[in-house]
Amino acid sequence: MKSWVKVTIMSVLGLASIFVAQTVFAASNPIGQAYSELGSSGVYRPTPVKANTTTSFDIFLKPNNLQEFFQQAMDVNTPDNLQFKNYLTPSDIQSKYGQPSTVTNSWKSYLKKNHLRTLVYDNGIQLTVTGKVKYIDKTFHVNMNTATYHSNPLQFGSKKPNIPSKLANTVWTVLGMTDHNRNYVMPNSNMPLVKKGNDYSFSGFTNRFVNQYDVQPLYDQGMTGKGQTIGIIAFGNIKKSNAYHFWKHENASTDMHRLTTKVIPGDMYKGNLVSLDEGETTMDVEYAGSVAPQANVRIYWVRSPYPTVMNMINAYATALNENKASSLSTSWGLFGSSYLNLLVRHKVLSSKYLDVLNFVLAQSAIQGVSSFVASGDTGALNFDVKGIAGNHLLMDRSINGNLPFDANPWITSTGGTTLPFDGNLPTKGNEKSLGKVTISSERSWGTDYI
């Protein structure tokens, strides 16, 4: 979710990440360009894979007692409930709700015989499989560049793979096998409202958040994040020196051990666009570590510039499997339900994607991990994809659409405010001003002040 209001707040951990966003304007005549591009967006298509390309996909095994699992996630977070704060570890989840180690080990052994490596998550539900395309194609009787979903959860081509039934019967669904299909389209901008040009930002340091939301009493009680780890899920990396420079300026801890990065297993979507110095990740990390000045910050970095369902789920699953972060925050997100359902209709996204997402986010709740997500980029009228026309996606705005993260009961959607500011909005190169803007009090998200 590329944010473009002046100052956006994301609260994490009570003290957690504040997101000071950049305002994006077109190079010239931004208002005219914005309205001319409301109806469509260009298309990104995945890079084709070759026989010796190494890629990944996920196998999700059937959980046991799923209704009980969701109920327990609710109970451990409900005051006055006997289970309140009786959080589970990933291994506890496997013993109560996952497949036993005999099943996961059998899968690992079978895939190894087919030259594929398997990461088994401790919850006994998820397997991330990695290997060369030629071995994946042979094992599953498929061409990954044309793979589609069928009613059989392990079938992606014209033939079913010859996988032992004792293993096949344990499968819930598979994600990522079809992510290289050319029909797995994605808008070429996460913010179709305006064409990207220069980025302009206004000053906004930690004290603005502290003063606006009365954080000082928490500091006075010693609540500075000490002993906690804030997890930042990101689709771009940062230059760590930038974060430490900012933290020094904000009088936050500059302990060189407080910022770490974990690379997430997954596939690559438009790898040539991966950023090693991403502005949004930098701001997320800087403000998470300054609002909570003594907390550790751990980046869960997906080395892909655009979130696919598999990559997003893997980021959460990896963080939960580590069980280090007490809160997780992301300002990225997936497009709305109509877009994802379009992918389902094109058979390049599993129809069970939402079930898996619900399970993983409920796992965060059952482990006592607070999860937060940015509330969106375009206000109440969500942008969404309604169809495909050649190399363009047909866009629309609707109050009836929903974003799968924002609408999820196991996550807190935050942000969507603009703090008071007074300033001129410039055009390219600061050649002239578009006009003075005065926001006298905190207001709802939106750039209609343009």
Side-chain angles (χ1 to χ4, degrees):
M1 299 178 178
K2 297 296 183 183
S3 303
W4 45 282
V5 293
K6 176 182 173 281
V7 178
T8 306
I9 305 301
M10 284 190 64
S11 56
V12 171
L13 201 77
L15 297 173
S17 65
I18 176 175
F19 182 76
V20 178
Q22 295 173 317
T23 305
V24 182
F25 293 98
S28 61
N29 191 17
I31 299 173
Q33 290 188 11
Y35 281 96
S36 69
E37 295 177 5
L38 289 178
S40 70
S41 175
V43 168
Y44 276 144
R45 299 182 188 274
T47 305
V49 290
K50 299 179 180 179
N52 286 317
T53 301
T54 297
T55 191
S56 299
F57 63 94
D58 288 340
I59 298 175
F60 290 89
L61 305 179
K62 294 175 182 176
N64 298 309
N65 304 317
L66 192 57
Q67 194 60 43
E68 181 184 328
F69 172 81
F70 288 126
Q71 185 61 53
Q72 184 158 8
M74 183 72 72
D75 291 345
V76 298
N77 290 284
T78 302
D80 299 328
N81 190 293
L82 293 176
Q83 295 298 315
F84 184 50
K85 291 191 176 183
N86 287 333
Y87 302 125
L88 302 186
T89 66
S91 296
D92 293 335
I93 292 171
Q94 179 184 21
S95 64
K96 292 192 68 173
Y97 304 109
Q99 293 289 335
S101 297
T102 52
V103 172
T104 57
N105 288 338
S106 293
W107 265 110
K108 188 172 184 178
S109 176
Y110 172 79
L111 293 165
K112 184 178 180 180
K113 291 178 182 178
N114 287 275
H115 311 288
L116 301 173
R117 303 187 306 277
T118 307
L119 169 63
V120 178
Y121 293 75
D122 291 344
N123 63 7
I125 298 294
Q126 184 175 352
L127 313 172
T128 293
V129 184
T130 303
K132 291 185 177 181
V133 169
K134 61 183 179 183
Y135 296 130
I136 298 173
D137 285 352
K138 182 178 180 180
T139 303
F140 290 89
H141 292 170
V142 69
N143 178 344
M144 290 198 77
N145 288 309
T146 59
T148 55
Y149 286 99
H150 292 69
S151 57
N152 184 309
L154 291 172
Q155 184 177 352
F156 310 98
S158 59
K159 297 189 299 182
K160 295 180 182 179
N162 297 322
I163 294 174
S165 59
K166 68 177 183 179
L167 295 181
N169 291 337
T170 66
V171 175
W172 189 14
T173 193
V174 175
L175 292 179
M177 183 70 78
T178 62
D179 285 7
H180 304 285
N181 186 311
R182 298 284 288 172
N183 286 325
Y184 198 117
V185 294
M186 190 169 289
N188 66 5
S189 170
N190 280 344
M191 185 189 60
L193 181 62
V194 293
K195 183 177 181 180
K196 288 189 176 181
N198 282 9
D199 290 350
Y200 301 101
S201 61
F202 297 91
S203 297
F205 298 110
T206 312
N207 65 331
R208 299 189 67 209
F209 178 83
V210 171
N211 295 335
Q212 186 78 20
Y213 298 104
D214 200 24
V215 176
Q216 189 60 47
L218 299 179
Y219 293 158
D220 293 341
Q221 297 177 55
M223 296 183 184
T224 58
K226 186 175 183 180
Q228 302 293 321
T229 297
I230 300 171
I232 303 293
I233 292 173
F235 286 76
N237 207 355
I238 73 168
K239 291 183 178 179
K240 290 187 176 181
S241 58
N242 290 338
Y244 283 104
H245 176 79
F246 183 84
W247 289 340
K248 182 178 180 181
H249 181 276
E250 298 298 284
N251 297 315
S253 171
T254 54
D255 181 343
M256 295 304 293
H257 299 291
R258 74 180 295 225
L259 178 58
T260 56
T261 300
K262 173 69 173 180
V263 177
I264 303 302
D267 58 15
M268 182 68 70
Y269 194 105
K270 305 298 290 185
N272 60 311
L273 300 177
V274 173
S275 173
L276 301 179
D277 186 16
E278 216 285 328
E280 189 159 335
T281 304
T282 301
M283 288 186 286
D284 287 351
V285 168
E286 286 177 347
Y287 280 91
S290 65
V291 174
Q294 291 186 299
N296 292 326
V297 180
R298 187 158 175 81
I299 303 170
Y300 293 97
W301 178 35
V302 182
R303 290 185 294 185
S304 180
Y306 290 95
T308 64
V309 172
M310 184 189 84
N311 284 340
M312 182 66 86
I313 286 175
N314 280 5
Y316 279 90
T318 299
L320 296 174
N321 201 59
E322 285 192 330
N323 208 21
K324 291 181 177 180
S326 51
S327 67
L328 294 173
S329 172
T330 184
S331 54
W332 273 262
L334 303 168
F335 253 85
S337 56
S338 66
Y339 162 67
L340 295 171
N341 290 335
L342 178 119
L343 297 181
V344 171
R345 291 196 301 273
H346 282 260
K347 296 185 177 182
V348 291
L349 180 61
S350 168
S351 61
K352 295 186 180 296
Y353 77 91
L354 199 54
D355 296 327
V356 175
L357 179 63
N358 286 339
F359 180 90
V360 172
L361 294 179
Q363 182 180 338
S364 71
I366 213 170
Q367 290 182 210
V369 179
S370 300
S371 295
F372 300 84
V373 65
S375 59
D377 292 334
T378 53
L381 293 171
N382 288 321
F383 265 103
D384 218 336
V385 179
K386 298 298 185 182
I388 305 173
N391 287 321
H392 282 80
L393 298 180
L394 304 179
M395 311 297 296
D396 196 9
R397 300 188 78 184
S398 171
I399 61 172
N400 296 319
N402 65 78
L403 303 172
F405 277 87
D406 297 65
N408 194 283
W410 306 107
I411 203 163
T412 302
S413 179
T414 64
T417 66
T418 299
L419 293 186
F421 79 103
D422 194 5
N424 291 309
L425 302 184
T427 58
K428 183 179 179 181
N430 296 326
E431 295 167 358
K432 63 178 180 178
S433 172
L434 294 176
K436 185 177 181 179
V437 172
T438 299
I439 305 296
S440 58
S441 60
E442 183 176 3
R443 51 157 288 169
S444 60
W445 189 302
T447 58
D448 51 292
Y449 55 68
I450 293 178

